[in-house]
């Protein structure tokens, strides 16, 4: 299991509780690496502190921003059911 896969239950529990998803960006947008199959992988965090840590590590003038969970869910087509056990 990948690191992100092992952390998914905590991510969904946190964002369901707070109603907010965190990301980092600069003036050009959100940094997104290419996966092995050529698709983009956008990084999101469940807390401001985790996103701030990534911004500090990655540098390049990244800043932390948030978006409502409903907006993220609609944008990423990622259903989070209120009763989902994670």
């Amino acid at each position: 299991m990948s690191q992100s896969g092992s952390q998914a239950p905590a991510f969904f529990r946190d964002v369901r509780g707070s109603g907010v998803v965190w990301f980092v960006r600069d003036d050009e947008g959100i940094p997104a690496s290419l996966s092995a199959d050529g698709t983009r992988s956008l990084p999101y965090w469940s807390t401001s502190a985790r996103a701030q840590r990534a911004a500090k590590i990655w540098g390049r003038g990244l800043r932390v921003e948030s978006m409502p969970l409903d907006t993220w869910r609609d944008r990423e087509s990622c259903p989070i059911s209120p009763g989902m056990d994670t």
Side-chain angles (χ1 to χ4, degrees):
M1 177 181 291
S2 70
Q3 181 181 4
S4 61
S6 68
Q7 295 174 355
F11 173 86
F12 288 112
R13 182 183 58 246
D14 290 350
V15 299
R16 194 174 56 236
S18 70
V20 176
V21 175
W22 297 87
F23 59 99
V24 297
R25 66 168 296 136
D26 60 17
D27 292 337
E28 296 180 24
I30 300 172
S33 59
L34 284 175
S35 66
D37 67 2
T39 58
R40 293 264 175 218
S41 177
L42 299 174
Y44 294 102
W45 292 268
S46 59
T47 68
S48 173
R50 289 182 180 127
Q52 288 173 1
R53 188 170 33 242
K56 183 177 179 179
I57 291 168
W58 294 345
R60 302 183 318 120
L62 293 170
R63 62 187 177 273
V64 174
E65 294 188 11
S66 66
M67 77 172 71
L69 175 58
D70 290 340
T71 301
W72 178 77
R73 185 176 48 214
D74 292 344
R75 188 180 284 180
E76 297 301 321
S77 300
C78 183
I80 299 177
S81 169
M84 181 169 50
D85 291 327
T86 54

